[in-house]
Amino acid sequence: GQNIDQPTEMTATEGAIVQINCTYQTSGFNGLFWYQQHAGEAPTFLSYNVLDGLEEKGRFSSFLSRSKGYSYLLLKELQMKDSASYLCAVDGSSNTGKLIFGQGTTLQVKP
Amino acid sequence: DAGITQSPRHKVTETGTPVTLRCHQTENHRYMYWYRQDPGHGLRLIHYSYGVKDTDKGEVSDGYSVSRSKTEDFLLTLESATSSQTSVYFCAISGTSGSNEQFFGPGTRLTVL
């Protein structure tokens, strides 16, 4: 079967660093995406990993290990506006863009 | 922001009635997707399209049909709505499959009474 696991909720303090983990088991792999979704809004793209290693983009970084079926999203210098859900998604098909999403991790940033 | 709109944004209907949701894009993207989002399930793919008149089923396609007669429009139809189809529906577009991110529309909140 296809399965993507993320923690349901996390809490962190403004200015701190938080790591959101994602593990996946899919029949195929063509890349892993992270999306951010504020309450009542549409998901917006954060990052894409297809090769092992770390991709850095400003305060956000994403890591992938294909052999371990594991990814994480690292958020630095947390701000209150980072309070949102973070969705991990895997493209497990052969170039159809059919994404399989995890349930999402709701991050609450506290002052 | 990608030019993608959904209509209606909110709809309340009764069990057994037909419902059509519209997704419209101005980006001339080839790929279009319909998802539903429910608490505890995350986003799940209903149907997708890889070109005009080319569509295929996703993970939760039962009870839904789609049509794409023009590049810019992707319609999702619930032939006979049921309460289990109460959800938030998102349309997404992508210029290419795989490595390009999908851009999501604002969503449609559908309530079936």
Side-chain angles (χ1 to χ4, degrees):
Chain A
Q2 319 248 59
N3 194 49
I4 298 178
D5 287 320
Q6 311 177 230
T8 303
E9 296 179 341
M10 298 184 71
T11 303
T13 303
E14 190 176 16
I17 299 173
V18 70
Q19 178 175 312
I20 302 174
N21 296 324
C22 172
T23 58
Y24 63 90
Q25 291 177 307
T26 57
S27 55
F29 183 84
N30 287 292
L32 186 143
F33 295 80
W34 284 96
Y35 283 84
Q36 180 189 60
Q37 185 177 26
H38 285 99
E41 297 182 7
T44 56
F45 170 81
L46 286 178
S47 69
Y48 170 72
N49 295 72
V50 65
L51 300 176
D52 290 351
L54 188 68
E55 295 280 343
E56 297 186 79
K57 189 184 294 185
R59 294 190 299 115
F60 293 4
S61 302
S62 57
F63 172 83
L64 175 67
S65 169
R66 289 172 296 170
S67 63
K68 295 182 179 178
Y70 169 69
S71 172
Y72 68 72
L73 181 69
L74 193 70
L75 291 73
K76 304 175 184 177
E77 302 170 12
L78 279 172
Q79 302 176 9
M80 298 300 292
K81 67 178 182 179
D82 297 330
S83 292
S85 289
Y86 292 86
L87 315 179
C88 174
V90 171
D91 182 352
S93 64
S94 54
N95 291 326
T96 61
K98 292 169 63 176
L99 297 183
I100 305 163
F101 281 83
Q103 293 187 24
T105 298
T106 300
L107 173 66
Q108 184 179 15
V109 180
K110 294 185 174 179
Chain B
D1 291 343
I4 177 170
T5 57
Q6 293 183 230
S7 59
R9 295 292 314 279
H10 302 271
K11 185 171 183 66
V12 179
T13 190
E14 294 187 349
T15 298
T17 60
V19 176
T20 295
L21 308 183
R22 181 186 184 225
C23 177
H24 179 78
Q25 61 144 330
T26 58
E27 304 297 319
N28 200 35
H29 281 353
R30 177 183 176 186
Y31 295 86
M32 299 185 76
Y33 309 84
W34 275 109
Y35 295 90
R36 60 178 290 175
Q37 188 172 38
D38 306 288
H41 289 280
L43 280 160
R44 292 180 291 175
L45 182 66
I46 305 171
H47 281 280
Y48 71 102
S49 170
Y50 45 96
V52 173
K53 298 190 187 305
D54 291 324
T55 65
D56 205 350
K57 295 179 180 180
E59 180 186 357
V60 289
S61 59
D62 288 349
Y64 302 94
S65 63
V66 290
S67 66
R68 191 168 179 200
S69 58
K70 299 184 291 184
T71 298
E72 57 265 36
D73 288 325
F74 192 32
L75 303 180
L76 177 71
T77 297
L78 292 65
E79 300 291 346
S80 178
T82 67
S83 58
S84 64
Q85 293 176 312
T86 292
S87 186
V88 178
Y89 291 86
F90 285 101
C91 175
I93 63 175
S94 175
T96 64
S97 65
S99 60
N100 273 11
E101 66 265 31
Q102 294 181 15
F103 300 96
F104 285 80
T108 294
R109 183 172 294 276
L110 176 67
T111 302
V112 183
L113 301 176

